[in-house]
Amino acid sequence: MEYLDLSNNQFNGQIKEFPIENQSTLFWLDLSGNRIGGPIPNFFFQLPNLFFLWLSDNLFNDTFQLNKIRTLTILSMLSLSNNNLSVDTTNVSSSSHGYPNLQVLQMSLCNLYDFPDLRNASYLSNLDLSNNRLRGDIPSWIWEIKEIYLDLSFNLLTGLKKLPISPNFSDSIILLANNQLTPTNEVTLTVKGIEVWPDFTSVDMSSNRFEVEIQGAIGNLSSLYLLNLSHNSLSDAIPRSLGALTELGSLDLSENMLTGTIPWELTKLSFLSILNVSYNDLKGMIPTGRQFQTFSADLFEGNAGLCGFPLNKSFSSPHEPGSTPYESKDEEIEWEYVFVASVYVVGIGSVAWTLLFCRRLRERYFLEDRRGC
């Protein structure tokens, strides 16, 4: 047997240990999406040809020593995510020879306290260490591996250890959200110098502690589709250079301290389907045209100085401070009514005055009136 896929069933209980022959040809083992508990069996790591091992979304528990995978010399894809495991990486060193073919490593929700040393995993392209307890600096080797997907979100990370990132780190999705990254010199360079890696496609640095400005050079990220810098303390104005990100589909700058106006250059982004600038200190008229006509009001709320569609507020009249064009029109209509009413009153008053004070006209008027009866 070479391929065994038992994923997404309702298998439960514990897998018992049993001996494996060295000649086993099993290269694909998928047990994900079940309710299998207990420790991960040791015989899994005695399968010499194992290429794919997917154990995520189960109830595996106990402490798992990551150095066990060193025996699987051709292992390429490993997922231990979403179990009740505590993965111990302390005995994993850079001298280990067990990762030369590792391409995918997923260990989300594995109670990790320390980064595994994967410096010799030169083919690693997908690394998920999210939802753990990783703390301190992001190690320098992270930026030297050619990863396409890197998820370090929901940890306790506070800074970066080395910049710049290798040019090979491109065409990538970078998720650093919900950490405790602070504006150290390294982090400042990351946000300001993000001009350097034009092939990034998604960058999520939301819910950290950035307090630096967004620099105009961010417009050099020509391949960027998603940029999320929300829930930080970013200040200054939104750079006009964002209008050069022609592939941008989602931009979230909400919950910051951004000032100034929304650049009209953003209306040139024909793929932009989400723009969230809520809860900043922006002012002025919201740009109109193209995608801006489809955005809802909640994406702009929390900016007392913003006005225009889709908000209900509008600009004041440039001629009369505090008034709107609609108020001026109403005032013109009211004056027309006043003029007509005045003419009517003057006309009736003139007839009444003539009849009252001119005897001849009064007698003639009443005489004709009696004849008519």
Side-chain angles (χ1 to χ4, degrees), residues 256-299:
N256 279 287
M257 297 187 294
L258 296 171
T259 59
T261 60
I262 300 175
W264 67 267
E265 284 84 355
L266 296 183
T267 62
K268 298 186 295 184
L269 302 178
S270 56
F271 292 107
L272 193 64
S273 58
I274 297 176
L275 172 65
N276 193 344
V277 295
S278 60
Y279 298 99
N280 281 283
D281 194 21
L282 299 171
K283 62 182 179 180
M285 180 69 88
I286 298 173
T288 58
R290 294 192 178 182
Q291 302 299 96
F292 275 78
Q293 303 304 115
T294 67
F295 298 147
S296 58
D298 61 301
L299 300 178

Side-chain angles (χ1 to χ4, degrees), residues 138-149:
I138 299 175
S140 57
W141 60 260
I142 287 282
W143 313 115
E144 298 170 356
I145 299 175
K146 189 178 180 181
E147 288 146 321
I148 296 176
Y149 180 89

